[in-house]
Amino acid sequence: MDDHLLGWLKTLDEERLTRVLANRPDAIAPPWPRRLDTLAQRLGNGFAVISVMRGLPLPALEIAQAALALGDRIDIEALARFMGVPEAEVAPWIGLLFDHALAWPDDEGLIRISGGVARWWTAPCGLGEPLPHYLNSWTVSADALRALARTLGLPHGPKRHTITKATEMLSDPGRLAAMLDRAPKGTRRLLEEFAWDGPVRDVDGGRFVLPGSPEKWAGDRGLLFRPNWNTAEMPREVALALRGPDYHPPFTPHPPDLATVPVDPEAVDHLMTLAAPHVVERCAAMLENTAKIPLPLLKAGGVGVREVRRLARDTGCDEDEARLLLEICAVARLLAWDDSAGGLVPTEKFDRWRLDDAAARLRVLLSAWWRMERSSLRRTDGKYGTVLGDDPAGAMVARARRAVLGVLARLPASTACADPDGLIGSAHWHAPLLDQPLLAECAPAVLEEGRMLGLVAYDTITDLGRALAALETAGDENDDSTPVVENDPVLVECSTRALASVRRSALFGADLTAVVTGPPSAELAGLLDRAADRESRGAASVWRFSPVSVRRAMDTGCTADDLLAELAEVGTVPQPLEYLVRDVARRHGEVTVTTVACIVQASDPTLLAEIAGHRRLARLGLRLLAPTVLASALPADKTLAALRENGYAPVPVEDTGEITVRRARIEEPQNGRLILLPGGRVAEFEQPPYPLFEAPPDPREHAQRLLSTEGGSQQNGRTWAVIGRMASRLPTAQQSLLGFVVDRGVRAAITLTDGLTATISHGELRSGVLDAWCEEAGDYLEFPLADIVEVRGAYV
């Protein structure tokens, strides 16, 4: 924890502290801090600092880097002078760093930069460590320091005084220039390379001990230091002196200009309302296809090109669309690997997803794309990556996607981007820590993927895309759900409007066609895809009925009356179509093929007839195939168990005819709930469809709590004595574990005298009670020490 940061937090009023917490929601995530010292510890966490820096624009990071280059404590006047701009241009960006707790003013008004930022930039502005860092190193002996002073012409004195004088001399451009006038030939060029392309460079170590060489001359005067034989570094003060007083670090207070062209907002909305329902419909079709034909994976991982093309052909998608939707469905957990199927198949979440309204289904897909850590249509060396294969860029791809869509969201209404290079430059200005080559690869893919999802049209952002881009919290690809995205009110409204124009009826023609004049709803498209073949898509979609397509529908268990009734609900069925359906139904089922799970045989026909008529064995679905042969609908192990439960003594027989003895496997009871699915199928779910949405923490509420508790009770340093005296029901080892809950904030599970259990952490002792965070309650609760009867470790 940074004591200077804590001191600054104590000076903040409620309004300023609220602003800091609003910009740093990570600092007040559960279990939220109860004191300012805990808050300061969270704000200074290195991983959290890096995450915050990724969300800051380029000028803020340029200011932070320049401040680090000048030293730990500088004022805004010196910083503006170093940047070569007026103070008024620097002040807003310094304020932004203050509001994110990446920098703060100390008691004297000087700027201090967070240690996490300093650890990120080990060489700010391409500059090395300060000269005192090298001179105070254990590698520089007292004799070496005295030799340096003699070489520089400095008077002998205490070590600290010598270091200060040497730093002043080597920081002065005039005195350094005078020294270089007497240097060996080639010294200036050597030092210029370190000053502009350093601070660390590979060198020939032998030249640093060769008399008369530029390397030895620079090393003897403290202009270069060698941490090892073949590497040399230049101190920060020397590099700045060589760059000269006219040097100013880069400062880009305004984003690059982005050329735009006007677009028709109605045309943009029209494309959005065409693309959004199409995405939902195609995802449902692809998942239904994988339910019938599991999608195998390559040995090296991912889905092969042949399978992607086959799936695209079967579902009416193009190859790029199939690539994108496959990866979205996998991230949304609608598609997963199944060992028994030997491929990717729909998950139970798909059965829940398909029962939701179309807008909710669309938001699940958009949420998955927003956090997806791969780019389906990104080309590397002119080639696409493997579908669902590993992407080394990982989370950087997701951040590039958000940066590009964020630039489009900042464009004025009814304008489109007309400059792809400007789009990449502007995205880099808003997300400067992203790798620019990666950003250049991802930007075209983001635009193309956005068009397919209804987020981009005519190179401008749609209302649906604008609502998605406004969400700061995206979640991680490994999250099973991101309720912040899926339940955002603005996104809910936009997704509902995007799907409001879907058609739920069709025009049936006497030529056995069905025409939908507009984007079909997923339900209508599913019905027509089941009973007809799609011939075209676009502004209007056309399906054609044939004996083969109608038979395909009846193969799923649909009767002629059921199919005609479903078609009549979406349009007027012409007589030729009714004749076709009834004619196919009349011939359907002339030949049957039955699946048999196992065979029950006996030499006594009377015994088999008794078994076939046994009421308690009805669940086996027994059918008499011959006087001595019964067919069971259940596997052999379940059939054996059922027969034995009802007093019979069957034995299993292998395919070779040999009798074997096996142990029955006891199955776990299913405690889920049943849901009726379309087509008469039943699905069982053990968990609620979606996790409950938890509102984000309120910054003002936490600011008030922190300010009200500041100066209150603190840990008294007598943790073990208090717990040993008050928690008398616990053995010594468990008392020690409880002490770690208080002193180190570890997690533990406790049991109270009334049998209640809780998982706790971040505890404090107050008058015989343990005030700790309870994960089950989602709040801090008080537990009397005398009532705790057991403490055990709880591991994540």
Side-chain angles (χ1 to χ4, degrees):
M1 181 186 65
D2 194 318
D3 293 335
H4 299 289
L5 174 58
L6 176 59
W8 175 65
L9 291 175
K10 290 179 178 180
T11 66
L12 301 184
D13 57 14
E14 179 183 321
E15 195 64 32
R16 188 66 184 274
L17 184 57
T18 299
R19 194 156 68 242
V20 171
L21 298 182
N23 289 318
R24 296 291 301 272
D26 57 287
I28 51 176
W32 53 77
R34 293 187 285 189
R35 299 190 309 272
L36 289 178
D37 58 347
T38 309
L39 175 64
Q41 188 173 7
R42 286 200 182 187
L43 291 173
N45 179 272
F47 294 105
V49 166
I50 293 174
S51 179
V52 173
M53 289 171 63
R54 291 193 180 108
L56 294 181
L58 181 59
L61 300 188
E62 288 175 336
I63 289 291
Q65 191 173 187
L68 286 173
L70 287 180
D72 189 37
R73 300 177 67 219
I74 57 168
D75 57 22
I76 191 170
E77 180 183 356
L79 182 59
R81 187 168 56 251
F82 182 54
M83 302 295 293
V85 296
E87 290 185 31
E89 290 193 33
V90 173
W93 303 109
I94 285 291
L96 185 64
L97 294 175
F98 288 175
D99 289 344
H100 286 80
L102 299 182
W104 53 88
D106 62 11
D107 297 339
E108 301 175 12
L110 300 178
I111 301 170
R112 286 189 175 272
I113 302 295
S114 170
V117 178
R119 286 189 293 273
W120 174 269
W121 271 305
T122 56
C125 299
L127 300 171
E129 297 287 349
L131 182 60
H133 167 81
Y134 298 99
L135 297 181
N136 280 314
S137 171
W138 62 271
T139 59
V140 178
S141 64
D143 291 340
L145 188 59
R146 283 194 294 269
L148 174 64
R150 285 195 303 270
T151 304
L152 294 177
L154 299 176
H156 177 68
K159 180 178 181 179
R160 181 176 299 179
H161 177 77
T162 302
I163 292 176
T164 301
K165 290 298 182 181
T167 302
E168 291 176 358
M169 180 176 182
L170 297 181
S171 300
D172 188 338
R175 298 172 72 178
L176 184 58
M179 287 176 57
L180 290 176
D181 289 339
R182 302 187 298 272
K185 183 179 179 181
T187 304
R188 184 179 295 274
R189 182 178 56 81
L190 171 69
L191 297 180
E192 291 284 345
E193 291 176 352
F194 274 90
W196 294 102
D197 301 325
V200 181
R201 294 177 64 86
D202 293 334
V203 295
D204 180 0
R207 292 188 59 82
F208 278 80
V209 295
L210 181 64
S213 67
E215 288 82 358
K216 179 171 174 54
W217 186 90
D220 291 343
R221 285 155 181 78
L223 304 180
L224 295 176
F225 288 87
R226 284 190 306 154
N228 54 62
W229 181 257
N230 290 323
T231 304
E233 301 180 10
M234 175 174 282
R236 181 175 305 176
E237 294 83 355
V238 176
L240 284 174
L242 287 170
R243 292 181 183 183
D246 295 332
Y247 165 75
H248 303 292
F251 183 52
T252 318
H254 305 291
D257 293 332
L258 183 61
T260 59
V261 294
V263 292
D264 181 6
E266 292 185 0
V268 172
D269 280 349
H270 177 65
L271 289 183
M272 177 185 72
T273 57
L274 287 178
H278 177 77
V279 168
V280 178
E281 171 208 336
R282 289 300 88 197
C283 278
M286 289 177 57
L287 291 166
E288 288 286 1
N289 184 276
T290 56
K292 300 173 185 176
I293 308 174
L295 206 59
L297 297 180
L298 300 172
K299 290 183 179 180
V303 181
V305 175
R306 291 183 180 179
E307 286 298 326
V308 173
R309 290 174 178 169
R310 192 270 308 165
L311 184 65
R313 185 174 59 253
D314 290 350
T315 57
C317 299
D318 60 40
E319 186 178 340
D320 287 353
E321 192 176 27
R323 295 176 60 87
L324 173 64
L325 298 185
L326 264 178
E327 296 195 326
I328 287 177
C329 289
V331 175
R333 304 296 189 268
L334 302 176
L335 192 68
W337 173 264
D338 183 76
D339 287 329
S340 60
L344 296 172
V345 296
T347 63
E348 289 184 349
K349 186 177 179 180
F350 166 64
D351 294 322
R352 297 192 292 264
W353 176 80
R354 66 188 301 181
L355 296 178
D356 273 339
D357 62 271
R361 280 177 276 172
L362 176 63
R363 292 195 300 275
V364 171
L365 301 177
L366 295 182
S367 172
W369 180 76
W370 195 231
R371 68 182 191 272
M372 189 166 69
E373 296 180 357
R374 58 175 60 82
S375 179
S376 305
L377 305 183
R378 175 166 66 102
R379 292 180 181 269
T380 304
D381 297 329
K383 297 180 180 180
Y384 286 141
T386 305
V387 175
L388 294 177
D390 292 333
D391 192 332
M396 299 292 287
V397 173
R399 289 195 285 272
R401 177 184 303 117
R402 295 165 203 161
V404 172
L405 208 64
V407 171
L408 295 180
R410 294 181 184 93
L411 292 178
S414 304
T415 59
C417 172
D419 181 9
D421 293 335
L423 175 64
I424 296 170
S426 185
H428 180 260
W429 189 90
H430 290 283
L433 296 186
L434 282 174
D435 181 58
Q436 275 195 288
L438 174 67
L439 194 57
E441 287 181 355
C442 289
V446 172
L447 294 178
E448 187 59 34
E449 293 171 12
R451 290 188 193 100
M452 293 181 181
L453 298 174
L455 305 173
V456 176
Y458 300 119
D459 287 340
T460 189
I461 195 166
T462 65
D463 289 344
L464 194 62
R466 196 177 300 276
L468 190 64
L471 297 171
E472 296 182 358
T473 303
D476 187 88
E477 184 182 286
N478 296 321
D479 296 340
D480 289 335
S481 175
T482 51
V484 173
V485 175
E486 295 170 14
N487 297 282
D488 179 72
V490 179
L491 188 61
V492 169
E493 179 186 352
C494 290
S495 61
T496 303
R497 188 166 63 83
L499 293 163
S501 62
V502 296
R503 299 291 187 265
R504 293 178 171 81
S505 62
L507 300 175
F508 295 102
D511 59 347
L512 302 180
T513 60
V515 180
V516 180
T517 56
S521 68
E523 294 75 15
L524 175 60
L527 170 62
L528 296 178
D529 283 339
R530 193 167 73 244
D533 297 314
R534 191 186 299 230
E535 290 189 339
S536 67
R537 65 177 72 248
S541 301
V542 179
W543 283 262
R544 183 172 296 279
F545 293 88
S546 66
V548 174
S549 66
V550 174
R551 188 193 68 223
R552 185 173 65 235
M554 292 183 176
D555 287 343
T556 63
C558 186
T559 65
D561 291 337
D562 292 339
L563 180 56
L564 289 172
E566 289 185 62
L567 294 175
E569 290 180 0
V570 298
T572 303
V573 180
Q575 195 174 57
L577 179 56
E578 183 178 357
Y579 285 168
L580 173 65
V581 173
R582 300 237 179 246
D583 182 60
V584 172
R586 185 171 56 255
R587 300 180 55 193
H588 192 262
E590 290 177 344
V591 178
T592 62
V593 177
T594 302
T595 299
V596 176
C598 68
I599 298 296
V600 179
Q601 294 177 287
S603 58
D604 186 357
T606 305
L607 175 61
L608 279 188
E610 175 190 331
I611 293 175
H614 202 298
R615 289 186 300 173
R616 292 185 178 179
L617 297 176
R619 69 178 186 274
L620 297 180
L622 297 171
R623 292 168 306 207
L624 193 63
L625 302 182
T628 58
V629 180
L630 283 176
S632 173
L634 294 185
D637 54 349
K638 295 184 179 180
T639 301
L640 281 169
L643 290 172
R644 288 166 177 165
E645 287 176 2
N646 290 277
Y648 299 100
V651 292
V653 179
E654 289 286 359
D655 295 339
T656 59
E658 297 179 359
I659 297 177
T660 58
V661 178
R662 298 175 180 170
R663 296 185 181 275
R665 185 171 55 190
I666 301 175
E667 295 190 354
E668 296 293 333
Q670 300 294 327
N671 297 319
R673 62 188 183 90
L674 300 180
I675 293 182
L676 185 64
L677 298 176
R681 292 190 298 160
V682 174
E684 182 178 76
F685 304 116
E686 298 181 358
Q687 297 177 352
Y690 296 104
L692 297 177
F693 174 69
E694 183 177 343
D698 180 23
R700 186 169 297 277
E701 177 185 340
H702 284 284
Q704 293 171 349
R705 181 185 295 116
L706 286 165
L707 293 176
S708 64
T709 58
E710 184 59 23
S713 61
Q714 303 284 331
Q715 302 295 99
N716 55 19
R718 301 176 59 246
T719 302
W720 311 102
V722 173
I723 291 178
R725 185 176 70 256
M726 304 296 296
S728 56
R729 298 175 182 269
L730 298 176
T732 303
Q734 296 184 20
Q735 288 180 350
S736 298
L737 179 56
L738 197 61
F740 286 126
V741 174
V742 176
D743 285 349
R744 300 186 184 177
V746 302
R747 296 173 75 244
I750 63 171
T751 303
L752 304 179
T753 53
D754 54 5
L756 293 178
T757 60
T759 305
I760 62 171
S761 61
H762 300 84
E764 291 184 357
L765 297 177
R766 292 195 179 96
S767 303
V769 300
L770 175 65
D771 186 1
W773 175 263
C774 177
E775 295 184 6
E776 290 77 10
D779 201 351
Y780 287 97
L781 299 180
E782 292 186 348
F783 303 94
L785 288 172
D787 292 346
I788 301 176
V789 297
E790 183 184 9
V791 181
R792 56 192 180 278
Y795 306 99
V796 180

